[in-house]
């Protein structure tokens, strides 16, 4: 009897240890203090920040950058609302951040990248690291310097050994995923020509479509972001030579010109895009979409038809690179936004019987190509569709 209980306790303890490993461990923050003199600062003028867990063993010259997400601000009012939060000030950031998933140092949960130098770049500029306005408005004391922040952090990491990289990935989630697309070739150019350098966007492929009222809501919003932050000069020239700068904030007009290999992890039912691009509050004054946006199971047949139309628009937007051998894809049918946190966990969605972690690892190391597009919702039983609370995910 006692032996049975001891065995049960040991099994429980083993499960707890496994769960704690899966949920990650904490890494201290690093402030780039010398960036302030260069004007490379967060919205409030505080220094940029990142978290670094050093590589070891045969991963000592391999580097993985993960850029934090957090939306954008499109004018002084919305940027001021971020100024006293972690999305606008490094003073408000936690001093320790949990590393898990693609940032884990445990080979059981991150077999391909566990011993790389793993960096989480904190996001505090509201422009996906594209802004650079010299003047500081005395009325707001806001600094629009995202591009300088990106450069300052990269300079520090290069000095810490990234200049000797043999393998490297720049990745990001949501607005960070967009940054990994917009800065993909720039990151490639910073590293040795002999290095294997690739890019990974998680939930960062935001598309240009009209909302349910027929208005170009997201197109106007992005144009305002670019104008407010002075982003035009830091967007890919291959796009701005053809289109207005605001249009070049959309991956669909940029990605076909990217020279470095890139992996797109996204859903064509991206819950953030459904909530903010397809059916933003401004386009739904009577709240007819409110319940549907909280839980896809609440959507009416007509709303599901509209969402299937959005899926078609998304697939058309990624079709510009669907035949490229440089591009990998994990395009599932889950109602979610940003999925890299699932990684190798038991609840990772599957495509071709493959987890997100396996797909990215196979693609990066060229064990086999991975380019899978799921069938239409609700066909994938491995999806765990997001259910939002009424106060989750503020509208843009």
């Amino acid at each position: 009897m006692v032996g049975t209980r001891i065995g049960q306790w040991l099994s429980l303890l083993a499960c707890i240890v496994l769960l704690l490993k899966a949920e990650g461990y904490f890494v201290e923050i690093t402030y780039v203090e010398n960036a302030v003199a260069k004007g490379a600062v967060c919205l409030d003028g505080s220094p940029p920040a990142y978290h670094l867990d050093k590589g070891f063993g045969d991963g000592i010259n391999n580097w993985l950058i993960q850029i934090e997400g957090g939306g954008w601000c499109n004018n002084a009012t919305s940027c001021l609302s971020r100024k006293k939060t972690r999305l606008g000030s490094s003073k408000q950031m936690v001093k320790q951040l949990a590393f898990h998933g693609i940032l884990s140092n445990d080979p059981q949960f991150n077999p391909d990248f566990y011993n790389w130098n793993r960096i989480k770049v904190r996001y505090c500029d509201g422009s996906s690291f594209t802004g650079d306005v010299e003047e500081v408005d005395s009325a707001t004391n806001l600094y629009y310097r995202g591009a300088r922040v990106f450069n300052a952090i990269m300079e520090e990491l290069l000095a810490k050994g990234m200049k000797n990289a043999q393998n490297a990935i720049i990745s990001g989630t949501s607005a960070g995923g967009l940054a990994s697309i917009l800065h993909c070739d720039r990151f490639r150019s910073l590293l040795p020509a002999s290095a294997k350098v690739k890019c990974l966007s998680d939930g960062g492929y935001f598309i240009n479509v009209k909302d349910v009222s027929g208005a170009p809501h997201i197109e106007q919003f992005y144009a305002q972001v670019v104008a407010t932050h002075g982003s035009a000069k830091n967007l890919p020239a291959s796009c701005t030579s053809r289109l207005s700068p605001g249009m070049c904030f959309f991956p669909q007009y940029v990605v076909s010109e990217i020279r470095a290999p890139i992996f797109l992890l996204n859903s064509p039912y991206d819950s953030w895009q459904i909530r903010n691009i397809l059916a933003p509050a401004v386009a739904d004054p009577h709240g007819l979409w409110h319940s549907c946006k909280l839980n896809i199971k609440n959507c009416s047949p007509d709303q599901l038809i509209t969402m299937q139309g959005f899926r078609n628009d998304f697939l058309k937007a990624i079709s510009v690179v669907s035949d490229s051998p440089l591009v990998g894809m994990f395009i599932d049918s889950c109602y979610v936004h940003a999925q890299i946190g699932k990684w190798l966990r038991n609840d990772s969605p599957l495509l071709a019987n493959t987890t997100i972690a396996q797909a990215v690892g196979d693609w990066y190391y060229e064990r086999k190509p991975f380019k899978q597009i799921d069938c239409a919702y609700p066909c994938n039983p491995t999806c765990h569709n997001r259910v939002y609370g009424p106060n989750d995910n503020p509208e843009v």
Side-chain angles (χ1 to χ4, degrees):
M1 186 71 172
V2 173
T4 300
R5 287 183 177 176
I6 291 175
Q8 291 173 338
W9 278 107
L10 288 175
S11 295
L12 178 60
L13 180 61
C15 289
I16 292 173
V17 170
L18 198 63
L19 179 62
L20 289 173
K21 284 186 176 182
E23 290 303 315
Y25 59 102
F26 289 91
V27 177
E28 292 286 337
I29 197 168
T30 298
Y31 300 101
V32 190
E33 299 287 0
N34 64 4
V36 177
K38 304 172 186 176
V41 293
C42 300
L43 285 169
D44 72 333
S46 58
Y50 63 90
H51 302 252
L52 164 65
D53 193 29
K54 293 184 177 179
F56 56 93
D58 61 6
I60 198 166
N61 287 321
N62 299 336
W63 293 75
L64 190 151
I65 312 292
Q66 173 71 6
I67 303 175
E68 184 179 28
W72 312 271
C73 54
N74 63 323
N75 53 40
T77 301
S78 62
C79 290
L80 275 172
S81 71
R82 301 163 76 97
K83 186 177 178 180
K84 294 184 179 180
T85 75
R86 64 175 178 81
L87 293 175
S89 172
S90 62
K91 298 175 185 176
Q92 306 301 322
M93 296 173 184
V94 295
K95 301 299 185 289
Q96 294 181 324
L97 198 66
F99 271 29
H100 53 80
I102 196 172
L103 296 176
S104 172
N105 67 350
D106 190 325
Q108 180 176 359
F109 297 103
N110 191 23
D112 286 315
F113 311 111
Y114 73 95
N115 64 351
W116 287 32
N117 296 280
R118 285 151 288 109
I119 299 95
K120 182 80 167 190
V121 174
R122 304 305 299 271
Y123 181 45
C124 65
D125 69 278
S127 73
S128 287
F129 296 98
T130 62
D132 191 355
V133 177
E134 182 64 35
E135 300 79 13
V136 180
D137 187 344
S138 59
T140 62
N141 287 321
L142 286 168
Y143 295 78
Y144 301 113
R145 306 282 180 78
R148 294 192 200 184
V149 167
F150 180 84
N151 291 338
I153 293 176
M154 292 302 113
E155 286 174 10
E156 178 149 313
L157 294 176
L158 288 166
K160 287 189 172 183
M162 195 169 71
K163 65 181 179 182
N164 300 316
Q166 296 172 347
N167 294 284
I169 296 174
I170 185 169
S171 62
T173 292
S174 191
L178 175 59
S180 71
I181 294 173
L182 297 177
H183 290 288
C184 181
D185 281 340
R186 162 74 174 147
F187 181 70
R188 162 68 274 189
S189 71
L190 297 174
L191 300 178
S194 59
K196 178 183 288 188
V197 182
K198 299 188 178 185
C199 311
L200 165 62
S201 171
D202 169 31
Y205 207 95
F206 301 93
I207 66 170
N208 183 21
V209 296
K210 292 181 179 178
D211 62 32
V212 291
S213 75
H217 174 69
I218 191 63
E219 183 179 317
Q220 293 169 350
F221 180 83
Y222 274 176
Q224 292 163 0
V225 171
V226 168
T228 297
H229 290 266
S231 300
K233 58 182 173 291
N234 296 308
L235 296 171
S238 59
C239 180
T240 55
S241 63
R242 297 179 290 110
L243 300 171
S244 65
M247 298 294 276
C248 297
F249 222 61
F250 289 102
Q252 67 201 80
Y253 306 123
V254 172
V255 70
S256 62
E257 302 292 334
I258 293 175
R259 295 185 297 276
I262 189 165
F263 192 98
L264 304 174
L265 167 60
N266 229 108
S267 168
Y269 304 95
D270 185 303
S271 57
W272 191 95
Q273 296 196 53
I274 297 296
R275 290 163 62 88
N276 295 283
I277 295 179
L278 179 64
V282 67
D284 182 33
H286 302 295
L288 301 178
W289 278 81
H290 181 70
S291 180
C292 172
K293 292 191 295 182
L294 295 180
N295 185 341
I296 195 170
K297 291 182 179 180
N298 297 335
C299 297
S300 70
D302 285 346
Q303 288 171 330
L304 286 175
I305 290 173
T306 300
M307 290 171 69
Q308 299 295 7
F310 185 87
R311 173 182 183 266
N312 292 338
D313 289 334
F314 183 93
L315 296 182
K316 182 178 179 181
I318 65 168
S319 69
V320 294
V321 289
S322 59
D323 294 329
S324 171
L326 297 178
V327 177
M329 292 184 186
F330 191 107
I331 309 297
D332 59 32
S333 293
C334 309
Y335 185 65
V336 293
H337 175 61
Q339 303 179 78
I340 209 166
K342 300 291 185 184
W343 207 233
L344 260 185
R345 284 166 34 178
N346 291 334
D347 61 348
S348 171
L350 300 177
L351 287 182
N353 202 34
T354 304
T355 66
I356 294 169
Q358 292 166 337
V360 173
D362 286 347
W363 168 80
Y364 180 81
Y365 282 107
E366 297 165 11
R367 295 187 289 251
K368 59 180 180 180
F370 194 92
K371 189 176 293 185
Q372 295 288 330
I373 297 176
D374 210 352
C375 47
Y377 172 87
C379 72
N380 191 334
T382 67
C383 282
H384 295 269
N385 298 313
R386 177 75 185 270
V387 176
Y388 289 91
N391 297 318
D392 288 342
N393 191 36
E395 309 281 349
V396 295

